[in-house]
Amino acid sequence: MKMKAAVMESVGGPLQVKEVELDNPKVNEVLVKIEATSICHSDLNALNDPTTPTPTILGHEGAGIVQEIGPHVKNVKVGDRVALNWVPYCGKCEYCTSGDFHLCEEAFGPMFNGTLLDGTTRLTRNGERMYHHSLLSTFAEYTVVPEMSCVKLPNEMPLAQASLIGCGVATGYGAAINAAQVRPGTSVAVFGIGGVGINAIQGARIAGAQKIIACDVKKANLEMAKHFGATHTIQVGEENVEEALKSLTGGLGVHYAIDCSGNTKATESAWNGVRKKGVVVVVGAFHASMIVNLPAGGFHRVGKILKGSFYGDTQPFRDFVNIANLYLEGRYKLDELILSRIQLEDINRVFDSFQDHTCANVGRSLIEFKSQVLTPPKDVSETWKVNSYYA
């Protein structure tokens, strides 16, 4: 079939909206009509990454309607409304059989090579092979994805909001619910109030944390954090973070710290700001050259845990549905994360806004495949454009 897509032709170049061809789904694959896809800063990273194969179609946060299923597909049927998961798992390896689906490695070889799980692609243009991004390629009207990338959601779930779930929302929520396992009545510090951190705050709120302390360099970040569940804020650079955390917790430190910053300075502050037996969960990805420095003296006496968390330890078929149901119950904020709604042809405008490294959108701009440009939500303002932690 022919379809319209935003094509990455070269590293760092603008995306080109062009007509491309999409093959039918093969074994254990699903054809999905994309209804909405959100634009993540990780897509900009891929655009500027010289290892990204080209030409490719980016996009990894999306939702849509199943149009066709390949042989042996069992989990979804034509007409199902699905959110897309960019880390499908095999279900057979040691990690999957023990329930640690987020540690399965099956997807990463094909993902880095720009193919689907069988090592081939479904995308061509005038006979030339094109590449997939994160097994999804949602910056297009249609996509073929692995069956395990399709998470069926309740019929009542609006697909624009559903498109937000698959990356930043699930990662932040999962960091609090799955990785940290926040308990009711406890205290949580979240470092870095960006697209992941704001959802870690929501996850901590859902878990019943009594104190949720947002830590960031920008006042605008901290003000917005209050709307999503933060009970206290600490402005990094203006306050001593470790002393402030202890002051808010009777001198002990917080029970949990979730570092979404990708900066080791924040991890060190988190470690020093948690109490004995406290848990520090690192979600942000460090540059390979960074080093985390922790005090060695008395290390064995404090009983603290430092834990890395990929994708918020998410189990998509459980957590995506839980988030959708929480949204439908009015307990999870997704509407408030939508910065703007645009057509595919306007995608470079959003990428250009990312190039200003002094600001980063906490929410998401959405591409909706409609015949008209939709207007931004009434509550969108410039305060949503805020600095990332330690930027």
Side-chain angles (χ1 to χ4, degrees):
M1 63 183 300
K2 295 183 183 296
M3 65 173 184
K4 184 168 62 174
V7 181
M8 173 183 170
E9 301 282 8
S10 61
V11 175
L15 301 183
Q16 305 290 328
V17 177
K18 296 184 176 181
E19 186 178 79
V20 302
E21 293 86 38
L22 181 67
D23 291 342
N24 294 330
K26 295 185 178 180
V27 174
N28 297 321
E29 294 177 353
V30 178
L31 171 67
V32 177
K33 180 182 184 297
I34 298 294
E35 293 291 320
T37 178
S38 53
I39 304 170
C40 175
H41 201 278
S42 296
D43 296 308
L44 175 64
N45 293 341
L47 179 64
N48 291 325
D49 186 345
T51 68
T52 300
T54 56
T56 190
I57 299 173
L58 300 177
H60 65 284
E61 297 183 347
I65 300 173
V66 174
Q67 301 294 297
E68 182 182 343
I69 60 175
H72 307 314
V73 170
K74 299 178 181 178
N75 293 327
V76 293
K77 63 182 184 303
V78 173
D80 281 348
R81 300 161 69 86
V82 296
L84 298 179
N85 156 42
W86 62 277
V87 192
Y89 53 86
C90 70
K92 301 175 183 178
C93 68
E94 180 177 346
Y95 296 111
C96 287
T97 55
S98 64
D100 296 318
F101 302 102
H102 59 287
L103 298 178
C104 179
E105 293 288 327
E106 180 184 53
F108 291 100
M111 188 182 299
F112 296 145
N113 292 332
T115 69
L116 292 183
L117 294 177
D118 68 351
T120 66
T121 77
R122 306 293 167 268
L123 294 164
T124 56
R125 182 180 56 191
N126 300 323
E128 174 194 15
R129 180 170 75 161
M130 301 180 68
Y131 295 95
H132 300 261
H133 175 64
S134 294
L135 303 167
L136 298 183
S137 292
T138 58
F139 293 163
E141 294 175 306
Y142 294 85
T143 186
V144 170
V145 301
E147 175 185 12
M148 296 300 286
S149 290
C150 295
V151 181
K152 182 179 177 181
L153 296 181
N155 289 332
E156 299 81 10
M157 185 67 192
L159 291 174
Q161 286 79 353
S163 72
L164 300 169
I165 293 175
C167 187
V169 169
T171 300
Y173 167 88
I177 298 295
N178 302 324
Q181 298 184 11
V182 173
R183 295 182 180 180
T186 57
S187 53
V188 182
V190 177
F191 288 76
I193 312 305
V196 174
I198 204 71
N199 287 290
I201 288 173
Q202 296 215 74
R205 172 175 54 79
I206 293 296
Q210 183 179 36
K211 290 184 178 178
I212 304 172
I213 306 164
C215 306
D216 204 288
V217 296
K218 290 288 287 185
K219 285 185 178 180
N221 300 52
L222 301 176
E223 286 302 313
M224 189 171 65
K226 296 175 184 178
H227 297 291
F228 286 83
T231 60
H232 301 78
T233 62
I234 297 173
Q235 187 172 3
V236 178
E238 300 296 324
E239 305 175 64
N240 183 305
V241 177
E242 298 158 27
E243 290 181 2
L245 290 176
K246 290 179 180 179
S247 176
L248 289 169
T249 54
L252 296 176
V254 292
H255 294 89
Y256 309 93
I258 301 172
D259 177 16
C260 308
S261 71
N263 192 296
T264 55
K265 292 180 181 179
T267 306
E268 292 161 12
S269 292
W271 178 267
N272 293 323
V274 298
R275 64 183 62 196
K276 289 182 178 181
K277 206 179 176 179
V279 177
V280 178
V281 173
V282 177
V283 185
F286 298 140
H287 189 276
S289 64
M290 292 180 173
I291 296 175
V292 179
N293 293 297
L294 302 180
F299 187 92
H300 64 293
R301 295 176 52 236
V302 294
K304 297 181 183 181
I305 297 172
L306 176 61
K307 176 181 180 179
S309 175
F310 174 68
Y311 206 11
D313 293 12
T314 296
Q315 208 290 44
F317 291 93
R318 175 194 64 205
D319 295 329
F320 284 22
V321 177
N322 285 345
I323 293 168
N325 284 327
L326 287 166
Y327 168 80
L328 293 172
E329 293 166 4
R331 299 172 57 199
Y332 203 99
K333 297 179 183 294
L334 293 177
D335 299 340
E336 296 82 354
L337 292 174
I338 299 175
L339 294 172
S340 62
R341 302 168 185 240
I342 65 171
Q343 288 186 321
L344 185 64
E345 287 78 6
D346 297 320
I347 190 170
N348 285 309
R349 177 164 58 86
V350 177
F351 274 84
D352 289 343
S353 73
F354 287 149
Q355 301 292 346
D356 181 357
H357 297 295
T358 65
C359 75
N361 291 330
V362 170
R364 294 285 193 264
S365 291
L366 297 185
I367 298 168
E368 293 191 289
F369 290 92
K370 306 290 184 180
S371 59
Q372 76 280 2
V373 177
L374 302 177
T375 57
K378 293 181 181 179
D379 58 348
V380 168
S381 69
E382 289 302 310
T383 61
W384 290 86
K385 296 181 178 180
V386 294
N387 281 356
S388 59
Y389 189 78
Y390 284 117

